[in-house]
Amino acid sequence: MLICNKCFTPLYRGKRPYYITQCGHISCQTCLQQFEKQCPQCQRVGTISLALEEPLIPKLTPFFHTSIAETMEMLLKVDSFRNNQFKILMQRFQELDKKYEVLKTRYWLDRRNLRALTEKYVISKKANEKLEKKLLLVQVANKETPRSRGTEMPMTDSGIFSNQSNTGYSLASSINFMNSAGITPPIRSPERKFYRTADGFRIPVNRKLPAKSLASSNMLS
């Protein structure tokens, strides 16, 4: 049964048609005409009203022509549908939560390993810097020191080198021993260059050869 929410006149006594406003209030035609462009009940300005006449539009049918049993059945279906959707969403949420826990555990392990690797890297870097400094010092020292030259063995007055022999005694001590014994030490003569002639004899360079021997040597060479 429809009743005007302003004057509380039922449908069978009031002036038809009755109207329903956008804000959800029912009013008779008399009350609606008294309040232009606003709801007679809540005084809402600019509200839209629809006439409650047959046939009702589909949006208004569930509010007036549906029985309580049908409404309860519809509500149960809606509740079952929403519960199923909620279960699906909760199952998905639990799966994501498990994945999150796994990723969280891996993250902390990777972070711990990264910290250990970082410490090892810092230690290795410091050791490498020390080695590079040592290498640089060695290179600088090698550049500053002159190249070692071949040491020449000093010669004594007799022309013999004064290096030590395999027995551990030097030639200078041997010469002193020979002088004390009255033995004249041998004098080293300068080396001479020889060449072999056609006759098989070795002749010094500063010695002149006969013309015949020179010719034969030139032929052999």
Side-chain angles (χ1 to χ4, degrees):
M1 183 175 63
L2 297 178
I3 299 175
C4 178
N5 298 149
K6 182 65 177 175
C7 63
F8 299 100
T9 303
L11 179 62
Y12 64 91
R13 288 184 181 181
K15 187 178 180 180
R16 298 183 181 183
Y18 275 37
Y19 292 87
I20 182 170
T21 61
Q22 187 179 5
C23 51
H25 297 117
I26 298 174
S27 63
C28 61
Q29 188 175 5
T30 303
C31 294
L32 188 63
Q33 290 176 354
Q34 293 177 0
F35 298 90
E36 295 181 359
K37 297 182 180 181
Q38 63 180 1
C39 177
Q41 178 65 23
C42 63
Q43 309 298 322
R44 182 178 179 180
V45 180
T47 184
I48 300 173
S49 59
L50 297 175
L52 297 176
E53 294 178 341
E54 295 293 342
L56 294 175
I57 60 177
K59 291 183 179 180
L60 298 177
T61 301
F63 294 97
F64 299 99
H65 288 179
T66 305
S67 63
I68 296 177
E70 292 177 353
T71 304
M72 290 298 297
E73 184 179 358
M74 180 61 67
L75 290 175
L76 290 175
K77 290 181 179 180
V78 172
D79 183 66
S80 176
F81 172 77
R82 292 183 177 179
N83 286 334
N84 290 332
Q85 293 296 317
F86 180 75
K87 289 179 181 179
I88 293 172
L89 293 176
M90 286 299 298
Q91 184 178 0
R92 179 59 179 170
F93 173 77
Q94 291 175 358
E95 292 176 357
L96 293 176
D97 186 65
K98 290 180 180 179
K99 291 181 179 180
Y100 168 75
E101 292 296 332
V102 173
L103 292 175
K104 184 179 179 181
T105 304
R106 291 181 180 177
Y107 166 75
W108 286 111
L109 290 176
D110 292 341
R111 184 176 180 180
R112 187 183 304 171
N113 294 334
L114 179 62
R115 185 179 299 175
L117 290 175
T118 304
E119 293 177 356
K120 291 181 180 179
Y121 168 75
V122 172
I123 295 173
S124 301
K125 185 177 180 180
K126 291 181 179 179
N128 188 23
E129 290 177 354
K130 291 181 180 179
L131 292 176
E132 288 180 353
K133 289 181 180 179
K134 290 182 179 180
L135 180 61
L136 183 61
L137 292 175
V138 171
Q139 291 177 353
V140 172
N142 290 335
K143 289 181 180 180
E144 290 180 354
T145 54
R147 295 182 179 179
S148 59
R149 298 178 179 177
T151 56
E152 297 180 355
M153 292 182 294
M155 295 180 62
T156 59
D157 296 337
S158 60
I160 302 175
F161 291 96
S162 62
N163 58 343
Q164 292 183 349
S165 62
N166 295 331
T167 58
Y169 297 98
S170 63
L171 293 177
S173 60
S174 300
I175 292 172
N176 293 331
F177 175 76
M178 293 173 68
N179 290 330
S180 61
I183 303 172
T184 303
I187 300 174
R188 183 179 180 184
S189 59
E191 295 182 357
R192 295 183 180 181
K193 294 183 180 180
F194 297 89
Y195 62 90
R196 192 177 298 277
T197 62
D199 299 332
F201 295 98
R202 296 176 62 194
I203 302 174
V205 176
N206 54 2
R207 183 178 178 181
K208 294 182 179 181
L209 295 175
K212 184 178 180 180
S213 299
L214 289 174
S216 60
S217 62
N218 291 331
M219 290 176 64
L220 291 175
S221 61

